[in-house]
């Protein structure tokens, strides 16, 4: 996992329009779903992102929290907060 892209020490894995944030071995994980994009010069930029805090315990997936944010920066900000809070207090 040392070659994996990370954000603030936690793995980021992209699959299509979904980004999985967090260690797969942890009890919680965040899924970011890019719901809208636009082209800015020659780069595709996320303009709408759904954030879901999920239980990651091997049983049926359960969404604990969900929100929408404009842009990836705002989405990652809330994702980082939710994931750290869940891991520390959950």
């Amino acid at each position: 996992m040392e070659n994996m892209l990370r954000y603030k020490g936690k793995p980021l894995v992209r699959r299509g329009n979904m980004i999985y944030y967090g260690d797969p071995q942890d009890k919680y994980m965040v899924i970011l779903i890019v719901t809208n994009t636009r082209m800015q010069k020659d780069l595709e930029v996320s303009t709408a992102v759904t954030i879901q805090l999920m239980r990651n315990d091997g049983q049926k997936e359960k969404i604990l929290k969900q929100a929408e944010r404009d842009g990836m920066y705002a989405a990652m900000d809330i994702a980082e907060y939710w994931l750290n809070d869940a891991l520390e207090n959950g």
Side-chain angles (χ1 to χ4, degrees):
M1 278 180 54
E2 60 272 352
N3 293 334
M4 188 173 287
L5 182 63
R6 294 178 171 274
Y7 178 74
K8 296 194 177 185
K10 295 178 186 67
L12 278 171
V13 177
R14 182 176 177 178
R15 186 173 184 194
N17 70 329
M18 297 174 69
I19 300 170
Y20 297 87
Y21 177 55
D23 191 322
Q25 306 301 318
D26 287 341
K27 188 176 180 180
Y28 301 97
M29 188 169 226
V30 172
I31 298 175
L32 299 116
I33 305 165
V34 177
T35 57
N36 199 10
T37 61
R38 67 177 164 86
M39 291 302 291
Q40 186 171 347
K41 295 190 180 185
D42 60 346
L43 182 65
E44 189 174 19
V45 178
S46 303
T47 56
V49 181
T50 299
I51 310 110
Q52 297 176 336
L53 176 66
M54 307 286 290
R55 187 178 257 324
N56 188 34
D57 58 6
Q59 297 183 15
K60 187 174 179 180
E61 291 182 354
K62 181 178 179 184
I63 298 172
L64 303 173
K65 293 183 181 183
Q66 181 170 314
E68 292 187 24
R69 293 292 183 268
D70 295 330
M72 189 56 72
Y73 180 81
M76 287 303 300
D77 189 42
I78 193 80
E80 170 69 10
Y81 177 78
W82 281 358
L83 186 56
N84 281 335
D85 185 56
L87 292 171
E88 290 175 9
N89 301 315

